[in-house]
Amino acid sequence: GAVQISAATGSLPTATFSLTAAGPQINTGGVVGAALSVPAVTSLSTGGIASVFGTGFGGPSSYVQVGSADLVSGALPTNFKGICVELSGTYAPIFGLSNTQVNFQVPVVSANSVSVQVVTNCGATNQVASLGVTASIAPAAPEFFYFVQNSNGHNPVAAADAQTNVGIAASTLFPGSGYGPAKPNEYVTVYGTAFGATNPAVAPGVFQPAGAQATGAVQVLLNGQPLPAANVLYVGITPSSPGLYQLDFQVPSGTPSGDLPLVISIGGIQSPAGAYITVQ
């Protein structure tokens, strides 16, 4: 970080110098779940999408996403624009990056915690790695993605009608978009990440053409009430989207109107409480 040095001699004014360490540096609390929930999801889970924030990563000033030409044997690269994310010796598949952020998929790790480092000039003789930041590893670290991220963490989930793919949100959220609230008995898809292991297993970075169901015990709470098992249709990988998971469920008849809290529990690990879906 920056070291402030002040010196005063006689009647001379105080001089302040700033010495900043060279190379990549990860911010305090800079390794979080990619949905950027509030409070942040700080545990990592194999196959989930996470973000690392810091300075001096060596990337462009604006975020650049991995494109089809950047894939390696059809999979996400672990070295993108000379930058890698290393988890205790294992390089992570990368979705995109800038000089201050890298979005990555958690590789297969078996320890209870890992040291996360950002490496610039990765693979070159002059590569430089940040100091490691310890992150815990959990069987799942579920969180939903959001249409809007509010500072208080009360966020509308990224959702769509499971049959028409029309977005589900308050009609005032995106005026003119055609989005509207969910209705009782409607089939809904909500997107998230880090729902844990699947059957069949899907290697991180790989585009899985078909679905793969989460193996952890699943419970879904809508407005604080557990959904009947018959209403939970699918929890697992979104086909052809590494690290992206989805929950498909039917809104029960008689569900009240409002911005209703939505929580998914995988193996007893719950998603952040601020997520909600609008029902009318």
Side-chain angles (χ1 to χ4, degrees):
V3 179
Q4 298 293 329
I5 302 173
S6 298
T9 304
S11 60
L12 294 176
T14 299
T16 301
F17 306 93
S18 181
L19 302 180
T20 303
Q25 299 177 69
I26 298 176
N27 294 343
T28 301
V31 180
V32 294
L36 305 182
S37 301
V38 177
V41 173
T42 56
S43 292
L44 304 179
S45 177
T46 295
I49 305 173
S51 299
V52 54
F53 293 93
T55 57
F57 290 173
S61 57
S62 298
Y63 184 86
V64 176
Q65 189 169 322
V66 167
S68 57
D70 303 306
L71 301 180
V72 178
S73 299
L76 293 173
T78 55
N79 183 332
F80 183 50
K81 296 189 178 299
I83 300 170
C84 300
V85 177
E86 185 176 352
L87 279 67
S88 293
T90 301
Y91 288 143
I94 292 175
F95 293 95
L97 52 78
S98 70
N99 193 48
T100 58
Q101 175 183 358
V102 184
N103 287 346
F104 66 95
Q105 190 176 14
V106 181
V108 176
V109 288
S110 55
N112 293 327
S113 66
V114 291
S115 177
V116 180
Q117 294 175 280
V118 174
V119 183
T120 62
N121 298 321
C122 186
T125 56
N126 62 338
Q127 74 173 24
V128 181
S130 68
L131 295 176
V133 171
T134 300
S136 62
I137 297 295
E143 63 178 334
F144 294 115
F145 286 108
Y146 310 108
F147 282 138
V148 176
Q149 290 163 321
N150 296 305
S151 59
N152 62 2
H154 187 61
N155 299 326
V157 296
D161 181 284
Q163 296 172 313
T164 66
N165 205 35
V166 174
I168 289 177
S171 56
T172 56
L173 190 63
F174 302 112
S177 66
Y179 287 23
K183 299 176 178 60
N185 298 314
E186 186 173 5
Y187 293 95
V188 173
T189 295
V190 184
Y191 295 98
T193 194
F195 289 2
T198 61
N199 183 21
V202 180
V206 173
F207 290 78
Q208 171 79 358
Q213 192 137 347
T215 58
V218 174
Q219 185 179 52
V220 179
L221 302 174
L222 179 63
N223 201 31
Q225 301 300 313
L227 286 183
N231 288 63
V232 180
L233 308 175
Y234 175 75
V235 178
I237 294 287
T238 298
S240 298
S241 297
L244 186 66
Y245 292 71
Q246 67 186 62
L247 158 66
D248 294 348
F249 71 95
Q250 185 181 27
V251 180
S253 60
T255 297
S257 297
D259 295 339
L260 306 184
L262 181 66
V263 173
I264 188 169
S265 172
I266 307 288
I269 303 172
Q270 289 194 339
S271 59
Y276 71 85
I277 187 168
T278 302
V279 176
Q280 182 67 55

